[in-house]
Amino acid sequence: MSSAFSDFHLKGHDFDNRFVVAPMTRTSAQANGVPSELMGDYYERFAKGGFPLIITEGTYTDQEASQGYENQPGISDAPQTDGWKKIVERVHKAGGKMILQLMHAGSQFQYNRFTDTPIAPSAVKPKGEPLSLYGDVPGWPEPKQMEEHDFDIVMNGFIGAVNRAQEAGFDGVELHAANGYLLNEFLSDYFNQREDKWGGSIEKRLQFVEMVVKAAKSAADDDFIVGIRLGQITVTDPDYQWPGGAEDWEKIVSHLAKAGVDYIHTTDTDVMRKNLKDSDKTLAEVVQEVSDIALIVNGNISEKNYEHVAAHYPNALLALGKKALANPDFPERVKNPDQVKDLDFAMLQPKATLENEWKWREQNEESAS
Ligand SMILES: Cc1cc2nc3c(=O)[nH]c(=O)nc-3n(C[C@H](O)[C@H](O)[C@H](O)COP(=O)(O)O)c2cc1C
């Protein structure tokens, strides 16, 4: 039977268990987007704790509209690249592999050093309120609908970011097309209300994402992983569904697999949630059915369900968010399940910075690791 402690092979990389740290924004870079030393301590700790693969927080790609949060790290210039290089070296030395998540904020735009105007498929604001976890802002600014030259800027940003991620020594990149950020917005009929070649049918809504995958693959060396994170939910709308349900999703998966993406990382509120319209399947079950592409699955994986999830998705790595924050040594600790802790959200208050986490650990743990 397929176990969470089986070996796993992904594009020339071998892992001795199947646990992955999910991407998590910590807004702890320097103001200029250069990763901080504390970020090195944070990421290295997961590798030392037995996670064979770490996906970084969403990282901005260009010096235009891609940044979405204050103190978010970037990979848009040489100093940011050098900062990441130091962190990757520490993670590699501790035995972990590292994938950089590339994120363009789109309309989920709370702070940007370079511009006050978000760009998005259409001039549509996200539902709900901005996230106080990443800084207090009064509301969402109105985004500008992307014009043809904006497509070139975004595309060049992603290509430049792939090149710099390779220079920094990362093992791969993950294109962030989930949670309501720019690439995800193209797939959504709420955010993407265009009537030109970029909007309408799922084939048209998918087209820009497909082009970014192909461009990232062309920029990447042969052994460099190019994955993509996908899902329906957004940070302020956990119930969004693609209008064409399972049919839309099957097309997304098969087009992106054909475009050459190395893995698909599905995310939902729960890895077993069946939330596609007209379907009784989970996102990851559909991927398993329509392609043999490698999978990363995410959503509420814990000490209680991980073996069941590993057996149910035999071709998948298991990405942990909150459980990894609460237990940076989860792969070791889970061998004694009653030692596994739940996340205390006070650790991320008033903002989700590493400084606040470190303070929380000093107060709540005998020795902060
Ligand atoms: C503090 C925090 C920051 C997050 N930042 C990101 C991010 O930068 N990129 C991303 O794709 N998901 C992000 N997420 C979502 C997680 O990757 C994950 O999908 C979510 O926590 C659900 O998984 P879990 O049930 O294992 O926690 C974040 C989650 C948390 C708790």
Side-chain angles (χ1 to χ4, degrees), residues 22-26 56-59 101 103 133-134 174 176 178-179 181 229 265 267-269 298-301 319-323 325 343 345 348 352:
M24 280 177 285
T25 291
R26 303 306 306 267
T56 71
E57 61 208 277
T59 299
Q101 189 183 57
M103 168 178 147
L133 211 61
Y134 304 138
E174 175 173 283
H176 194 356
N179 298 357
Y181 297 101
R229 190 173 220 215
H265 181 174
T267 180
D268 206 335
T269 51
N298 167 254
N300 222 10
I301 299 172
L320 276 64
K322 295 180 288 293
K323 282 287 173 181
L325 288 184
L343 178 66
F345 282 91
L348 308 177

Side-chain angles (χ1 to χ4, degrees), residues 122-143:
S122 304
V124 175
K125 293 184 197 182
K127 291 184 177 169
E129 296 301 319
L131 306 177
S132 59
L133 211 61
Y134 304 138
D136 276 323
V137 289
W140 301 112
E142 169 103 14

Side-chain angles (χ1 to χ4, degrees), residues 84-221:
W84 277 120
K85 193 171 182 194
K86 294 186 190 115
I87 297 178
V88 178
E89 279 166 5
R90 287 177 68 177
V91 167
H92 281 167
K93 209 165 162 206
K97 305 269 179 172
M98 205 172 189
I99 287 181
L100 181 69
Q101 189 183 57
L102 300 182
M103 168 178 147
H104 192 299
S107 73
Q108 281 180 173
F109 178 105
Q110 298 195 189
Y111 175 92
N112 184 299
R113 287 162 59 214
F114 311 101
T115 173
D116 292 331
T117 311
I119 58 168
S122 304
V124 175
K125 293 184 197 182
K127 291 184 177 169
E129 296 301 319
L131 306 177
S132 59
L133 211 61
Y134 304 138
D136 276 323
V137 289
W140 301 112
E142 169 103 14
K144 184 192 87 154
Q145 167 159 322
M146 281 171 67
E147 297 166 28
E148 281 308 313
H149 73 273
D150 295 310
F151 285 82
D152 295 337
I153 291 172
V154 173
M155 179 63 91
N156 289 335
F158 276 106
I159 295 171
V162 172
N163 289 326
R164 285 185 289 275
Q166 291 186 108
E167 264 171 61
F170 281 103
D171 301 289
V173 289
E174 175 173 283
L175 303 170
H176 194 356
N179 298 357
Y181 297 101
L182 184 78
L183 295 180
N184 183 253
E185 290 170 2
F186 271 94
L187 302 175
S188 155
D189 68 332
Y190 168 77
F191 284 109
N192 182 352
Q193 301 180 4
R194 301 178 76 103
E195 292 176 352
D196 58 5
K197 64 178 179 181
W198 307 110
S201 66
I202 185 60
E203 286 83 357
K204 289 180 169 178
R205 303 201 309 276
L206 178 60
Q207 192 177 188
F208 186 57
V209 181
E210 217 175 325
M211 286 169 65
V212 173
V213 167
K214 286 183 184 160
K217 284 290 297 179
S218 302
D221 295 341

